[in-house]
Amino acid sequence: MSKTNDHIAEEKSHTFLTRNIYLLSVVSLLTDIASEMLYPIMPLYLKQIGYGVIAIGFIEGAADVVAGISKGWFGYLSDKLNKRIFFVRLGYTLSTFSKPLMAITGSLGIIVTSRLLDRLGKGIRTAPRDAILAIESTKENRGKVFGFHRSLDTLGATLGPVVALIFLYYYPAQYTRLFLIVLIPGLLAVLLTFLVKDRHSIGDIKAIHTKRPSYSFKAFLKKASPEYKALLMGLVLFSLINSSDMFLLLRAKELGLQDTFIIGAYILYNAIFTVAAFPLGYLSDRIGSKIIYIFGLILFAVVYGVFAREMTTLVVFGMFGVYGIFGAIHESISKSWLSKHLPAESQGTGLGLYLTCQSVAFLVSSSVTGIVWNQWGPTVVFSGISMLTALLLVYFVFMPSLQHKEFISAD
């Protein structure tokens, strides 16, 4: 075993929290402070300047597709080149400097360009970063590691809207200044990425190909385990049902909540997410990812079913709290669960494939959601999503290859 691998093994034997895991989690915290200072005001802002639910759904879907396709490509490329931190740094840098573009003008073209560049940065960094997290962890603590990372990530998503609320309280409608302020946490995040080091597991140590790599998910899927493919299908089917959280914010607006209450509900969602992510990831390591994930889908179906009805402000806040538990489950456990069915040298490719498929499905679901909302109203949208999720639960319960145990690939 190499000196590098000895060092990784020594760290893992003492604590799940290695230097790289801690640094990447703090980087995500700072980046989400920047991103979430803007995210909850975006649907309200777009609607204010004249763009409806179809446009909002398409913008968010298109931005996520850019992120998803790039996640797959750069995840694969990081595996082939055996270098991951370069793509992590590049992605965070691009996202940091793209956000202030919105301060130039309120034109749709600039808004779309800014969102696409921001999501491209996310696409470049996500799969290589998740591959580092997977390699730094073990099969026994992977849910805990991804849960810890998502917890700090979402702590940033909680603090971001709080900062925005405080700023807008003292400087109402000063959006240009807010777009520039996000540079501060973003730049700190970029600087911290230079402290993260590429470290490889035994399966990663191989000769770097000097020829240009061929990009083939088809070839990867031929070698992937049946467990990975069955789980991938279930997660992508859910992505076809799910849609942008912006529709939940718009529904809250339609129900009569003031903007400050809407942002407050979103802060509550992120706060619950932050608190729940780590213990739920830990629990998934103990009783199995499948049980926890099914519980999350049940919560999702309940929230969307309730949002289909008229409700009070208190109920809206309660549902955003429940939705935070679902978010903690979906965002942390889905990737840690998938990674357990991937060898170390294919972590970037396997996770990138999922993220690409997820994003393409997200474009379809968000666009369809906007169209259905426009034609038949939010009641049809939310009740339909709730019922489709209930049907998908049957697939996860009876997936034959994953029904009784998790199959862990050698890592």
Side-chain angles (χ1 to χ4, degrees):
M1 183 181 285
S2 69
K3 185 180 294 185
T4 300
N5 287 312
D6 284 332
H7 182 57
I8 296 174
E10 183 180 351
E11 281 194 75
K12 289 179 180 178
S13 66
H14 288 88
T15 175
F16 78 94
L17 192 60
T18 66
R19 173 188 172 90
N20 277 352
I21 292 170
Y22 177 75
L23 285 171
L24 288 174
S25 299
V26 174
V27 167
S28 291
L29 182 151
L30 291 168
T31 302
D32 258 41
I33 289 176
S35 297
E36 299 298 327
M37 286 171 66
L38 304 179
Y39 185 83
I41 68 171
M42 282 301 297
L44 311 177
Y45 173 66
L46 288 174
K47 197 161 188 179
Q48 183 185 56
I49 61 177
Y51 297 102
V53 290
I54 295 178
I56 292 171
F58 179 77
I59 290 170
E60 284 304 296
D64 212 65
V65 164
V66 168
I69 292 174
S70 53
K71 284 171 187 175
W73 163 245
F74 287 102
Y76 174 85
L77 195 59
S78 72
D79 282 343
K80 293 296 290 184
L81 299 180
N82 215 19
K83 293 183 181 295
R84 296 187 173 90
I85 191 57
F86 168 78
F87 298 108
V88 172
R89 289 174 188 147
L90 177 62
Y92 280 113
T93 301
L94 183 59
S95 290
T96 294
F97 288 101
S98 64
K99 291 182 179 72
L101 287 177
M102 294 186 189
I104 298 174
T105 175
S107 73
L108 183 63
I110 295 297
I111 290 171
V112 171
T113 300
S114 176
R115 286 294 290 157
L116 292 181
L117 288 176
D118 182 25
R119 296 300 87 185
L120 175 61
K122 183 176 180 64
I124 292 171
R125 70 181 183 254
T126 300
R129 182 203 65 204
D130 289 344
I132 293 174
L133 293 175
I135 288 170
E136 293 271 329
S137 62
T138 68
K139 63 185 181 183
E140 291 81 16
N141 67 19
R142 194 156 297 160
K144 192 192 306 184
V145 166
F146 276 84
F148 176 82
H149 173 265
R150 288 303 305 176
S151 182
L152 261 68
D153 180 282
T154 312
L155 176 59
T158 305
L159 296 175
V162 171
V163 173
L165 266 180
I166 295 172
F167 176 84
L168 293 174
Y169 176 80
Y170 289 102
Y171 303 97
Q174 295 293 314
Y175 296 113
T176 298
R177 290 186 183 182
L178 191 60
F179 291 139
L180 295 175
I181 288 173
V182 301
L183 274 172
I184 298 172
L187 286 172
L188 288 174
V190 171
L191 291 174
L192 280 180
T193 63
F194 286 89
L195 300 178
V196 180
K197 304 298 181 184
D198 259 325
R199 298 200 306 220
H200 313 292
S201 69
I202 298 172
D204 280 319
I205 299 173
K206 56 174 72 174
I208 297 175
H209 293 270
T210 56
K211 64 179 182 179
R212 183 178 180 180
S214 60
Y215 182 51
S216 174
F217 280 143
K218 184 178 180 181
F220 164 74
L221 280 173
K222 284 183 178 179
K223 298 184 293 183
S225 69
E227 296 76 35
Y228 170 84
K229 287 184 277 191
L231 180 54
L232 177 68
M233 180 178 292
L235 294 174
V236 172
L237 285 173
F238 176 65
S239 298
L240 282 169
I241 297 171
N242 196 5
S243 61
S244 173
D245 291 346
M246 285 192 177
F247 290 111
L248 292 172
L249 299 173
L250 288 173
R251 176 60 170 161
K253 179 72 172 178
E254 188 179 72
L255 289 169
L257 271 71
Q258 297 178 356
D259 291 357
T260 52
F261 282 105
I262 293 172
I263 297 175
Y266 188 68
I267 291 171
L268 176 64
Y269 157 75
N270 282 310
I272 298 296
F273 191 136
T274 301
V275 172
F278 178 71
L280 285 169
Y282 178 85
L283 190 59
S284 74
D285 288 333
R286 294 295 174 268
I287 67 175
S289 302
K290 178 179 177 178
I291 295 173
I292 303 297
Y293 195 78
I294 288 174
F295 175 66
L297 290 182
I298 293 171
L299 295 181
F300 179 87
V302 168
V303 168
Y304 270 74
V306 174
F307 263 84
R309 303 171 178 272
E310 296 292 324
M311 52 181 160
T312 65
T313 299
L314 184 61
V315 175
V316 171
F317 269 76
M319 287 300 98
F320 268 98
V322 174
Y323 194 64
I325 299 175
F326 156 75
I329 291 171
H330 177 63
E331 291 295 330
S332 58
I333 292 177
S334 59
K335 287 188 284 189
S336 68
W337 193 6
L338 270 174
S339 73
K340 291 176 181 178
H341 302 288
L342 290 165
E345 66 271 14
S346 298
Q347 289 287 342
T349 305
L351 292 171
L353 174 59
Y354 161 60
L355 295 168
T356 294
C357 293
Q358 179 191 48
S359 297
V360 173
F362 185 80
L363 171 61
V364 174
S365 63
S366 292
S367 299
V368 170
T369 298
I371 293 169
V372 173
W373 184 315
N374 191 59
Q375 292 294 321
W376 294 286
T379 298
V380 174
V381 166
F382 289 101
S383 59
I385 291 175
S386 179
M387 288 186 289
L388 288 173
T389 304
L391 290 175
L392 183 62
L393 277 166
V394 177
Y395 176 85
F396 277 97
V397 169
F398 292 103
M399 276 192 301
S401 59
L402 300 174
Q403 187 172 358
H404 300 298
K405 63 178 180 178
E406 291 179 356
F407 294 76
I408 310 297
S409 298
D411 56 3

